[in-house]
């Protein structure tokens, strides 16, 4: 008899699910038996992900839109409930990384950070948690956070991004306490440099490769990360195996947060996930 897959008959919502870590996580949840709802601002990106992950469309639903508002987040969760019957797991993986010196930060860049990181996390978590509470079966929220929320890096002036990610980390602890009575766990993974196709949205493939190679020595383990390095931690924190873990932040960073002896790294001007 074949062993039941870990997320059989569960419904996973992934924001920022059209590419990079979000799409990689969705692929693993599908392998483990889940039905998945992917959210992103651009439908064409979502549709390309669906064709790759689930060509028949039986276990993947798409909701295009900006979930930086409560109305849009509720619409996303309603779509998940309507298509698959509920929400068991939410993965918050939206974000735009834009190194800009603090004195040069514009209003638009601050709002961009809040709209791509903090507001989607707040509203998607609120909408998903309401559905989980109504269903009465508990659930899990996993946030894709950042080492930049925990430490400042001289080579990457990212005040707006870091502040927004710090808000995501703060929500992890606050929601963990508030939602614990409902059996809903909330955790975060804090990432260093991870290779995703997002780099190639703002530079040539050759430039992206040069940037990623340049940050290898920034990580004590000697290389930048891959989505596969991250998604297993996401699945673990979303699973019953982590049933007594909530309110935590797990660094997935190649050892960066263990010290700061690596040389400065060159970084792109903008990276979107």
């Amino acid at each position: 008899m074949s062993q039941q897959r870990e997320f059989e008959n569960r419904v996973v919502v992934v924001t920022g699910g059209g590419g990079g870590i979000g799409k990689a996580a969705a692929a693993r949840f599908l392998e483990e038996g889940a039905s998945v709802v992917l959210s992103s601002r651009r439908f064409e990106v979502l549709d390309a992900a669906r064709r790759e992950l689930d060509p028949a469309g039986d276990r993947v639903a798409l909701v295009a839109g900006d979930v930086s508002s409560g109305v849009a987040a509720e619409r996303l969760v309603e779509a998940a409930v309507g298509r698959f019957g509920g929400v068991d797991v939410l993965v918050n993986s939206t974000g735009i990384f834009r190194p800009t010196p603090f004195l040069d930060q514009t209003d638009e860049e601050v709002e961009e950070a809040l709209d791509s990181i903090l507001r989607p996390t707040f509203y998607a978590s609120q909408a998903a948690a309401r559905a989980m509470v109504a269903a009465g079966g508990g659930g899990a929220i996993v946030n894709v956070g950042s080492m930049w929320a925990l430490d400042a890096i001289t080579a990457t002036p990212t005040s707006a991004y870091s502040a927004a990610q710090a808000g995501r980390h703060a929500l992890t602890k606050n929601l963990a306490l508030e939602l614990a009575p409902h059996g809903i766990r909330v955790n975060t993974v804090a990432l260093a440099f991870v290779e995703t196709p997002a780099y190639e949205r703002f530079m040539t493939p050759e430039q992206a490769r040069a940037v990623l190679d340049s940050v290898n020595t920034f990580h004590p383990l000697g290389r930048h990360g891959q989505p596969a390095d991250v998604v297993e931690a996401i699945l673990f924190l979303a699973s019953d195996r982590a049933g007594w873990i909530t309110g935590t932040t797990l660094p997935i960073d190649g050892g960066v947060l263990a010290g700061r002896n690596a040389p400065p790294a060159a970084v792109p001007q903008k990276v979107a996930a």
Side-chain angles (χ1 to χ4, degrees):
M1 179 181 296
S2 61
Q3 185 176 3
Q4 181 173 342
R5 294 175 292 180
E6 191 163 34
F7 289 90
E8 200 79 46
N9 300 318
R10 297 192 187 183
V11 181
V12 180
V13 174
V14 183
T15 66
I21 292 165
K23 186 176 76 171
R28 284 291 292 118
F29 280 115
L30 287 167
E31 288 175 0
E32 291 297 332
S35 297
V36 176
V37 180
L38 300 179
S39 168
S40 181
R41 295 184 181 186
R42 296 181 296 163
F43 178 79
E44 63 273 19
V45 172
L46 290 175
D47 195 44
R50 180 197 58 76
R51 291 196 303 269
E52 177 183 339
L53 298 174
D54 181 29
D58 295 332
R59 291 196 292 130
V60 171
L62 309 178
V63 181
D66 179 358
V67 290
S68 62
S69 72
V71 171
E74 289 287 351
R75 189 180 304 122
L76 169 62
V77 170
E78 287 170 2
V81 174
R83 174 71 185 274
F84 297 122
V87 177
D88 300 293
V89 176
L90 169 67
V91 178
N92 288 305
S93 64
T94 57
I96 295 176
F97 181 76
R98 184 195 290 275
T100 304
F102 174 67
L103 296 180
D104 298 330
Q105 289 269 297
T106 65
D107 291 352
E108 291 77 15
E109 288 171 339
V110 173
E111 289 303 310
E112 176 186 68
L114 295 174
D115 279 345
S116 70
I117 300 168
L118 183 54
R119 291 187 180 111
T121 304
F122 185 96
Y123 290 118
S125 297
Q126 186 180 59
R130 285 170 174 166
M132 292 173 184
V133 170
I141 298 172
V142 183
N143 298 317
V144 179
S146 173
M147 70 175 186
W148 282 270
L150 302 171
D151 262 345
I153 312 298
T154 301
T156 54
T158 55
S159 54
Y161 170 86
S162 297
Q165 280 285 15
R168 181 174 271 177
H169 284 229
L171 281 173
T172 300
K173 291 182 179 294
N174 282 268
L175 302 189
L177 293 183
E178 289 197 46
L179 300 177
H182 303 286
I184 300 170
R185 299 178 300 101
V186 188
N187 293 288
T188 286
V189 292
L191 311 185
F193 289 98
V194 177
E195 181 172 345
T196 74
Y199 287 85
E200 295 181 15
R201 290 178 58 186
F202 307 102
M203 61 186 74
T204 67
E206 293 75 20
Q207 289 171 327
R209 173 53 49 200
V211 166
L212 289 165
D213 288 346
S214 76
V215 299
N216 282 336
T217 56
F218 179 73
H219 307 81
L221 288 180
R223 65 174 177 86
H224 59 268
Q226 299 290 334
D229 295 318
V230 179
V231 297
E232 297 306 323
I234 292 174
L235 262 71
F236 168 71
L237 290 172
S239 75
D240 293 340
R241 290 175 291 148
W244 209 46
I245 301 175
T246 195
T248 66
T249 295
L250 175 62
I252 311 293
D253 64 357
V256 172
L257 289 172
R260 196 65 70 249
N261 296 319
V267 296
Q269 289 305 300
K270 181 177 178 183
V271 176

